[in-house]
Amino acid sequence: GESVGLHLPTLSVQEGDNSIINCAYSNSASDYFIWYKQESGKGPQFIIDIRSNMDKRQGQRVTVLLNKTVKHLSLQIAATQPGDSAVYFCAENTGGFKTIFGAGTRLFVKA
Amino acid sequence: EAGVAQSPRYKIIEKRQSVAFWCNPISGHATLYWYQQILGQGPKLLIQFQNNGVVDDSQLPKDRFSAERLKGVDSTLKIQPAKLEDSAVYLCASSQRRGGSHTGELFFGEGSRLTVL
């Protein structure tokens, strides 16, 4: 069935360190993946996306890696800052233009 | 550019009462979504509109939930009668339909937090 999950519910990192948030997906037909950031009291906000014909995509301080062989997605945040503290969701786009969200990982950044 | 607008931000009702949420998507966005987010969980898709037609409502509890998108712009989500387990944040999102096989980026509103007592 369709499901997107995360390996760790919480992640605590020191300010300035790099963060890695992992995600597993089960629908091998999914061809588009997105990472969203959700701050308290707000809606999810787009961070970065990747299509299934790519295995890596970089943005500003963020990199998404896609391993289709093991159906795994990761978000790397370089030089993590206090403002990065939030819940991060991976989401997959399945056939029919349906976006399915995972359960989320809460990132704590220690000053 | 104005973002996705939702109202009300907060609503407290008793079980068996009814409630309605309103959403105004980003201008020009053809696709509109309603998600339910229970505390500590990821958003769950309830219904998806393309213009004013329903694309997917497979997860919508149709015995109590209804949604409409008149004229392909604003949308309302109604719950009647509400149950305790409906306590959640109801998120509205919109996206531009692009060519290809995916929706692209979803733009979310700040959500409507419902508490059912």
Side-chain angles (χ1 to χ4, degrees):
Chain A
E2 299 172 350
S3 68
V4 177
L6 294 171
H7 294 312
L8 297 172
T10 61
L11 177 65
S12 184
V13 299
Q14 198 69 39
E15 181 179 359
D17 288 351
N18 296 334
S19 302
I20 300 176
I21 301 172
N22 295 303
C23 175
Y25 64 95
S26 62
N27 191 336
S28 56
S30 294
D31 61 357
Y32 177 65
F33 304 88
I34 319 100
W35 281 99
Y36 286 90
K37 173 186 180 182
Q38 187 174 29
E39 296 175 287
S40 181
K42 296 185 177 180
Q45 183 179 22
F46 174 92
I47 302 172
I48 191 168
D49 59 359
I50 188 167
R51 295 188 186 222
S52 59
N53 61 353
M54 303 170 69
D55 53 20
K56 180 179 180 178
R57 190 164 188 224
Q58 288 184 292
Q60 187 176 12
R61 285 202 306 119
V62 294
T63 301
V64 55
L65 300 177
L66 175 63
N67 185 330
K68 294 181 289 295
T69 302
V70 295
K71 290 185 277 189
H72 183 269
L73 197 66
S74 68
L75 176 70
Q76 301 178 0
I77 305 174
T80 313
Q81 302 169 358
D84 295 327
S85 293
V87 177
Y88 289 81
F89 295 98
C90 65
E92 63 180 309
N93 219 192
T94 65
F97 309 93
K98 190 172 176 178
T99 301
I100 305 296
F101 283 77
T105 293
R106 182 173 295 279
L107 176 65
F108 291 101
V109 181
K110 296 177 287 187
Chain B
E1 178 182 80
V4 175
Q6 289 190 246
S7 67
R9 285 296 313 275
Y10 305 94
K11 189 73 177 180
I12 300 173
I13 61 173
E14 296 191 347
K15 60 183 179 183
R16 292 187 289 274
Q17 288 188 322
S18 63
V19 63
F21 302 112
W22 173 84
C23 173
N24 180 238
I26 292 174
S27 178
H29 281 194
T31 310
L32 185 147
Y33 315 76
W34 283 103
Y35 282 85
Q36 179 193 58
Q37 186 173 25
I38 292 172
L39 185 65
Q41 298 182 16
K44 171 188 151 186
L45 180 66
L46 292 176
I47 189 166
Q48 178 175 339
F49 293 94
Q50 179 73 18
N51 297 310
N52 60 350
V54 176
V55 173
D56 188 315
D57 64 355
S58 57
Q59 301 271 52
L60 188 73
K62 298 179 187 65
D63 57 334
R64 298 183 301 105
F65 286 65
S66 65
E68 60 181 8
R69 189 183 185 195
L70 299 176
K71 301 180 182 179
V73 183
D74 292 6
S75 178
T76 56
L77 175 70
K78 296 180 182 178
I79 308 173
Q80 181 179 17
K83 292 185 175 181
L84 297 177
E85 59 261 36
D86 298 331
S87 293
V89 175
Y90 291 86
L91 294 163
C92 179
S94 67
S95 69
Q96 286 181 308
R97 173 72 178 267
R98 300 178 182 175
S101 62
H102 64 81
T103 61
E105 175 184 355
L106 269 60
F107 293 82
F108 283 86
E110 295 196 318
S112 295
R113 181 178 296 275
L114 173 66
T115 301
V116 182
L117 303 176

